[in-house]
Structures are given as C-alpha cells and as structure tokens.
Amino acid sequence: SSLVFGRTQVRAQTDLLPFLKPGSRLLIVGGGTGWILDELVGFRITYVESSGEMLALARKRGSGKNQVEFVQAPVETFTSDGHDAVLTGFLFDNFSPDRASTVFHLLDNLLEPGGLWLFTDFHHQKGDGLWQALLMKTMYAFFRLLCHVEAKQMPDVSPLFRDSGYTADRERFYYGGLIQSVAYRKP
C-alpha cells in the first residue's frame, strides 16, 4: 500500500494523535507492525492483533515510553475493561458489512462514555470519481487474493457511529477523498 499511497496512510492516522490525552487507556485494534507505537508517549496501551507475524513485529519495536500489553486475538473474541480511547487504523476495510457491524458494537462496548475513537480507513461512496472506484476494486481483488480479505468493498460504518450518537471532533479526507480520518466522541 505504501507504493500506491506513500505516507498518506501514516499521516491520516498520526494527524489524529493530538486528540489523545497522555495517560489514557488506549485500545489499538489491528495495528499491524506496530509503527504507531513509535508515535505515542505516555499511554497505557492494549494492542490487539490477530496476525501472529504482525504481533511479533510490533513486539520487536518495543513499547517505547508506554505500558503495552500485546494480545494476539481476533477482535471478535477480545474482552477487556473499558478504555478511554480506541484506535482503528484501516481495520474495517477488511470486513463484510455484517462483520463490520459486529466489530463496531464490540469496540463501542469497550469504549468508556465520553471516550474518543480515532477512526482511519478507506472511504469510497457511489458517485465518487472513476479513478477511486477502479483503485478500490483493484485493491480489494489484490487483497482478497493475497491476504484472504473477506470484504469485496468498503463497508460504510458512518451510520453505525451516527446511530450510536457519536459526534465528530474532526474529520479529514486524504488522497482525493479515498482515505477518511475521523476523531469520534462517544456520548
């Protein structure tokens, strides 16, 4: 993805980090290699990743100046006490709409009232440009083939946030609108 998007995916996620309060209990789900840990200082982090290979890479990076608990588990099986903030970077693009809804509600239950959800993912809606549609179709075909991603298109999770009463502290789009980054606040 870095060949196509360069550092845009990283910037879309790190632009949200100033919304976090140091010392917060932060849940990171699907963090992959753990590069985001290098950007964080002073948090109590639970780092949930289903891939053993990705979790091993994240552990090698270390926890920096954070307290990190690394957990290998599919998000659907993860249970925990409440968190002040949740970070999902390019997580929901992996799921079918039904599974995305299940994961959303599970994470919503793990986030304390008034908590912050830092959401970054691909964003494509009908009516967007032709190049976005072609790029998304190509990406999903590629990732279904190589990574066994179940989704065939990006599920629209914005109604889940809206229907659950979340408000957006900030929303930005990157890469011609193809990447969305939102700091959501739970009621």
Side-chain angles (χ1 to χ4, degrees):
S1 64
S2 63
L3 290 173
V4 175
F5 299 106
R7 297 214 23 101
T8 304
Q9 290 176 293
V10 169
R11 193 174 79 245
Q13 292 176 76
T14 57
D15 283 354
L16 293 175
L17 298 182
F19 286 89
L20 294 171
K21 293 179 184 169
S24 295
R25 295 166 296 156
L26 174 60
L27 174 62
I28 299 175
V29 181
T33 65
W35 68 267
I36 194 78
L37 296 172
D38 298 339
E39 305 293 326
L40 298 165
V41 175
F43 296 94
R44 292 173 289 155
I45 300 171
T46 304
Y47 193 92
V48 178
E49 172 59 55
S50 63
S51 166
E53 294 84 14
M54 290 293 133
L55 195 64
L57 291 171
R59 279 190 174 122
K60 277 186 185 178
R61 289 188 105 92
S63 48
K65 297 183 180 181
N66 303 290
Q67 297 173 7
V68 181
E69 174 191 7
F70 293 98
V71 178
Q72 182 181 354
V75 65
E76 295 93 339
T77 65
F78 177 73
T79 58
S80 175
D81 293 333
H83 296 269
D84 304 312
V86 171
L87 188 151
T88 55
F90 298 93
L91 175 71
F92 285 91
D93 60 355
N94 293 292
F95 303 135
S96 67
D98 287 341
R99 190 162 170 218
S101 177
T102 299
V103 169
F104 171 87
H105 291 293
L106 179 130
L107 294 177
D108 176 55
N109 287 332
L110 297 176
L111 183 59
E112 294 289 337
L116 190 64
W117 188 324
L118 304 181
F119 172 87
T120 305
D121 220 318
F122 293 107
H123 178 265
H124 178 68
Q125 302 298 314
K126 288 184 179 179
D128 284 350
L130 180 61
W131 73 269
Q132 288 105 328
L134 289 173
L135 183 56
M136 290 296 282
K137 187 173 184 171
T138 302
M139 281 181 10
Y140 273 106
F142 178 78
F143 286 116
R144 263 196 324 276
L145 180 66
L146 291 181
C147 304
H148 309 290
V149 170
E150 70 184 47
K152 294 181 180 170
Q153 63 185 26
M154 179 66 200
D156 184 7
V157 295
S158 58
L160 297 171
F161 283 104
R162 183 185 63 244
D163 294 347
S164 297
Y166 282 79
T167 56
D169 288 356
R170 192 193 85 183
E171 178 179 41
R172 285 205 177 141
F173 293 90
Y174 302 81
Y175 208 81
L178 198 58
I179 295 173
Q180 178 187 33
S181 185
V182 186
Y184 284 109
R185 180 78 53 193
K186 183 174 179 174

